[in-house]
Amino acid sequence: MPNGAQALVRTLANAGVRVCFTNPGTSEMHFVAALDTASEMRAVLCLFEGVATGAADGYARMTGTPAATLLHLGCGLGNGLANLHNARKGKVPVVNIVGDHATYHVKYDAQLQSDIETVARNVSPSFVWTSQVTSELCRDAVAAVKAACSWPGQVATLILPADVSWGEGGVPEPAPVIEPPPLADDAAVQAVAAAIKAGGRSAILLGGTALQEQALLAAARIAASCGVKVFAETFPTRMERGAGLPGVERIAYLAEMAQIQLKEIDTLVLVDAKAPVSFFAYPGKRSYLPHDGCKVLTLSTPAEDAAGSLAKLVKALGAEQATPELAAPSRPGRPRGNRLTAEKVCKAVGHLLPENAIIIDEAISSGLMLSKFTAGAPRHDLITLTGGAIGQGLPNAIGAAIACPDRPVIALIGDGSSMYTIQSLWTIARERLNVTAVIFNNASYSVLNVELERVGAEKIGPKARAQLDLHGPVLKFAQIADGMGVRATRVTTPDEFTDALACSLKRPGPHLIEAVVPPALSGLKLKLLPHLLGSLDRVPLPVARMLKRKIAP
């Protein structure tokens, strides 16, 4: 009869868990040994727990099924907490296996003893469980997988004491039965249909799974038939976009711009989304962004089938025959000039983006023009920073590349955020993943310079400014990448960047391009920032001209 760890690994494999991202310690050694008993489960070593949790997040975003993490005690879970927060906000299924001291060892309060359950509840509010008996371990694991996979996806945490892991008498369990999500009920559909038919300016806000093809097409049919505006949430978990799909404008990051987008909307319909709120509170500014006269209705909650619910609404509105407006194929030209800027990097991405690529966007301020330059590019998926905890992008790239080995992954990362999980490069090299990481090296937390002014901070002196500056020493990402086994190059001109990106796309495998650029927001007036930080798919022509003058001389 297998021990607990062997039975647990077999149970996870039975449940369709095909990858385990690991950062193990002593308490997890029996689980590590058991990994060899399940040939269908891939084990991927990560040098930091935040890489493991972010990789599991990226994997699940692309497959819709959970990967497992293997973490060492409460401290290891704590190290991975930021990217589990992003997964929770993105409604992404993840199964954490967190090792613990043997049950009889807990009373001695050894150096690594901690309250793991309390730590876990920050990111696993619906499922945290400590197994106590080897014979029941696999039933606990099935419950964890079922919780993670139930609609909407969530982070489930199973705590595995060492003696439960090494104990004899483990009994593997079959896969759990996962019930499909229900559709929106008829009353909700009819209420939304009535509000749209009543006239006035209506908009649909899509989030979560509503940003994939079938839901996008249904929303576009409603837009074409009824004149409804369609928005996407600011930070999508996964958004399908590009030529041949409906183009959807994202709600702006800056509250001021979001209020402009929403100011004429009389009825806002939520589909797997929440009503927009500002990312932070600001003195004298609104937190809840729909105006006071806007009626907010929910078509479907995150626990319901977004595409199916929109299909019901299409039928209720008689929009089945409407022709959805689709993005036409288009690419920007090759960027020119002697000075590389963040805008020109984004332009080069749009110029070269291959079919079926996956873009990971954690470029922060440097990615302001990415949506504009890729709106008509070949079809691709976009993953963004759902929970706002930086350090997600490079780990997400690991998970996405393992989930979709036949698809190129381009990760656009700010220099400051990349340093949170720079260890990802080692795993990318070790696993030989088809990832091109672009690091925008502007030696600044650029967006925070804007926020410093927006929050109304006064008397900003050199000590304060130094907290947002990455000079002295300037980070050398090409050298860091080379030290971790990733082929890397440092570029300073548009031609150098475009050639480097073209080379990386022709030669699959790990690549890093360090793009030395000025801060994307340098020299810009604050009144222009709402147009920039909104990352809108359709930037008005006058704004585009101003951008060209300001950041692409």
Side-chain angles (χ1 to χ4, degrees), residues 134-460:
T134 300
S135 61
E136 297 178 4
L137 170 60
C138 293
R139 277 178 278 176
D140 298 339
V142 167
V145 172
K146 186 170 185 177
C149 294
S150 296
W151 214 268
Q154 61 179 298
V155 178
T157 300
L158 178 64
I159 301 167
L160 177 61
D163 55 333
V164 175
S165 182
W166 72 53
E168 298 298 324
V171 182
E173 293 282 337
V177 175
I178 308 298
E179 297 295 333
L183 300 179
D185 63 42
D186 293 343
V189 173
Q190 292 304 319
V192 170
I196 291 173
K197 290 176 180 177
R201 181 71 167 156
S202 296
I204 297 174
L205 176 57
L206 306 177
T209 57
L211 291 168
Q212 297 177 31
E213 182 176 10
Q214 292 306 311
L216 288 170
L217 289 171
R221 286 191 175 90
I222 295 168
S225 176
C226 306
V228 171
K229 179 74 175 176
V230 181
F231 291 113
E233 60 187 348
T234 307
F235 293 105
T237 300
R238 174 188 171 192
M239 183 177 184
E240 297 182 5
R241 61 192 305 274
L245 288 171
V248 181
E249 184 178 300
R250 286 158 63 184
I251 294 292
Y253 166 77
L254 286 187
E256 299 92 329
M257 183 58 184
Q259 287 178 268
I260 293 172
Q261 291 173 290
L262 297 170
K263 69 177 182 178
E264 296 180 354
I265 302 301
D266 301 306
T267 301
L268 182 64
V269 178
L270 307 179
V271 184
D272 197 354
K274 58 183 286 188
V277 298
S278 63
F279 214 68
F280 300 102
Y282 298 94
K285 298 177 182 178
R286 288 175 66 100
S287 292
Y288 184 75
L289 300 182
H291 61 80
D292 292 338
C294 179
K295 179 191 297 184
V296 178
L297 300 175
T298 297
L299 174 67
S300 64
T301 70
E304 295 171 323
D305 182 340
S309 299
L310 281 164
K312 285 184 69 172
L313 182 59
V314 167
K315 187 174 181 180
L317 292 169
E320 299 98 319
Q321 302 306 313
T323 301
E325 182 179 346
L326 306 178
S330 66
R331 286 187 184 273
R334 182 183 175 106
R336 300 295 182 184
N338 296 321
R339 181 172 180 251
L340 184 62
T341 64
E343 179 197 11
K344 291 178 182 179
V345 170
C346 294
K347 187 175 184 180
V349 171
H351 180 67
L352 293 172
L353 191 70
E355 184 78 34
N356 217 25
I358 300 168
I359 297 178
I360 314 290
D361 179 13
E362 197 184 8
I364 315 298
S365 62
S366 292
L368 302 176
M369 299 299 291
L370 180 66
S371 287
K372 176 182 186 303
F373 286 130
T374 57
R379 284 184 57 160
H380 58 278
D381 282 280
L382 175 69
I383 289 175
T384 70
L385 186 62
T386 50
I390 61 176
Q392 174 186 307
L394 288 174
N396 269 189
I398 293 171
I402 289 174
C404 305
D406 57 336
R407 300 179 63 179
V409 177
I410 302 174
L412 305 174
I413 314 293
D415 50 359
S417 59
S418 73
M419 291 303 294
Y420 280 60
T421 47
I422 197 70
Q423 308 92 331
S424 302
L425 296 176
W426 184 88
T427 299
I428 290 170
R430 176 185 170 101
E431 299 294 325
R432 301 180 181 179
L433 302 178
N434 189 13
V435 172
T436 297
V438 177
I439 307 294
F440 292 88
N441 191 349
N442 60 25
S444 173
Y445 284 118
S446 185
V447 71
L448 294 184
N449 284 286
V450 176
E451 295 288 14
L452 192 64
E453 184 173 347
R454 293 185 71 231
V455 299
E458 299 177 355
K459 298 180 180 179
I460 302 168

